[in-house]
Each structure stands twice: as C-alpha cells, then as structure tokens.
Amino acid sequence: MDKKIIKNIENRGGKCPPHKKKFNFKRCKDNTIKSLNEVEYFLNNFHRFIKYIKLYKILK
C-alpha cells in the first residue's frame, strides 16, 4: 500500500489492514507430506482391523 493511503487511514482513527502473508512453499509441502503419512497410517490400521473382523467371523 502507498504511504499516503496508510497515513490517511491512521489519521481517520482506523486501523491499517493486515499485510498479506507470503506463500511459504516449504511449509505447504511439509504439511502435505504429514497429511499423506497420516492417511497412509490410518488405512494400514483399517486394513488390519478388517482382517481381524474376517478372522473373527471365520472362527465364530
């Protein structure tokens, strides 16, 4: 934003709008990898759970 616009906003008693955050590719990449690992872990545990249920039905 221009300095003149910021001074006008401050003189009127208003607050300046927050600055836009820059896009952080590394953080986005890390979050994506973490999410994919969590999904993979959940699916592996889910498959185990299904195997136990099938085994239970067979033995029942």
Side-chain angles (χ1 to χ4, degrees):
M1 289 178 66
D2 293 339
K3 292 180 182 180
K4 291 180 183 179
I5 296 173
I6 292 173
K7 286 182 182 179
N8 285 338
I9 292 172
E10 289 175 353
N11 289 339
R12 293 182 194 163
K15 294 183 179 180
C16 292
H19 295 287
K20 292 183 179 180
K21 295 182 180 179
K22 292 183 179 179
F23 182 74
N24 189 344
F25 182 75
K26 184 177 180 181
R27 184 181 60 199
C28 185
K29 178 183 163 189
D30 291 340
N31 288 341
T32 304
I33 291 171
K34 184 179 178 183
S35 296
L36 288 173
N37 285 336
E38 289 176 356
V39 170
E40 181 182 11
Y41 179 76
F42 172 77
L43 290 175
N44 285 335
N45 284 339
F46 188 72
H47 289 300
R48 256 189 226 153
F49 179 70
I50 291 175
K51 286 181 184 178
Y52 287 125
I53 290 176
K54 288 180 181 178
L55 181 64
Y56 177 76
K57 286 183 179 180
I58 292 172
L59 294 175
K60 189 176 178 183

